[in-house]
Amino acid sequence: MTRTDAEQRLRGLLEKGLPLVPRPWEELARQAGMREDEAMACARRWQDDGLIKRMGLVVRHRRLGMAANAMVVWDIADERVGKVGRALAAEPAVTLCYRRPRRLPDWPYNLFCMIHGVRRERVLAELDAIIARQALADTAHQVLFSHHAYRQRGARYTREEHS
């Protein structure tokens, strides 16, 4: 197997996620036909080159009993959105926080964060506590609870025939 073939195989394996074993990179490397240090070096190079922006975890919240999932959308002044976003992202109950452009006139919100919980009332109580801690009581926002679990998956790095 050539290095290019091994790297293509590694990219396809990464799309499926890290294996749940004590040495996931060693296992990925074995399956790709390379050494563990080569696999890790490839991933680092792909991050440096911008092919992989970040590596994260996809949590299947509903399988964990978290059926009350709320996307909270905020209308934050542009000069404050970075600071508020970092503060919200640091909140233990916030599992995801990101900025998006407004879509005026219908959608004035530019900051989004996700709060997961077992019950709706618990999520709303946590949101109230976050609003108090972050002094956001006068900030326009909406709470959007999901009613359907959409398919979640990680990034795709290869064409279908390589994965």
Side-chain angles (χ1 to χ4, degrees), residues 11-76:
R11 279 196 280 264
L13 291 165
L14 278 173
E15 288 179 3
K16 297 173 184 164
L18 295 176
L20 297 175
V21 296
R23 295 193 60 133
W25 287 99
E26 180 180 68
E27 179 60 22
L28 285 173
R30 185 190 64 73
Q31 291 179 34
M34 56 178 44
R35 295 187 325 264
E36 180 182 26
D37 64 321
E38 291 175 316
M40 293 175 77
C42 279
R44 275 192 296 275
R45 188 177 75 248
W46 295 333
Q47 284 182 306
D48 291 344
D49 292 346
L51 176 65
I52 297 175
K53 297 223 183 286
R54 63 184 169 93
M55 295 184 78
L57 180 67
V58 175
V59 177
R60 310 261 187 253
H61 301 96
R62 290 180 188 265
R63 287 186 189 170
L64 295 173
M66 306 251 184
N69 304 303
M71 174 66 74
V72 184
V73 295
W74 305 86
D75 180 9
I76 306 291

Side-chain angles (χ1 to χ4, degrees), residues 78-93:
D78 291 332
E79 64 274 4
R80 293 184 55 230
V81 72
K83 181 179 179 183
V84 173
R86 285 186 294 280
L88 288 175
E91 287 283 346

Side-chain angles (χ1 to χ4, degrees), residues 74 76-91 94-100 110-114 130 134 136 139:
W74 305 86
I76 306 291
D78 291 332
E79 64 274 4
R80 293 184 55 230
V81 72
K83 181 179 179 183
V84 173
R86 285 186 294 280
L88 288 175
E91 287 283 346
V94 173
T95 58
L96 182 67
C97 187
Y98 53 93
R99 183 180 187 178
R100 289 287 184 263
N110 62 339
L111 188 64
F112 299 62
C113 70
M114 206 63 204
I130 290 170
Q134 300 299 331
L136 295 171
T139 304

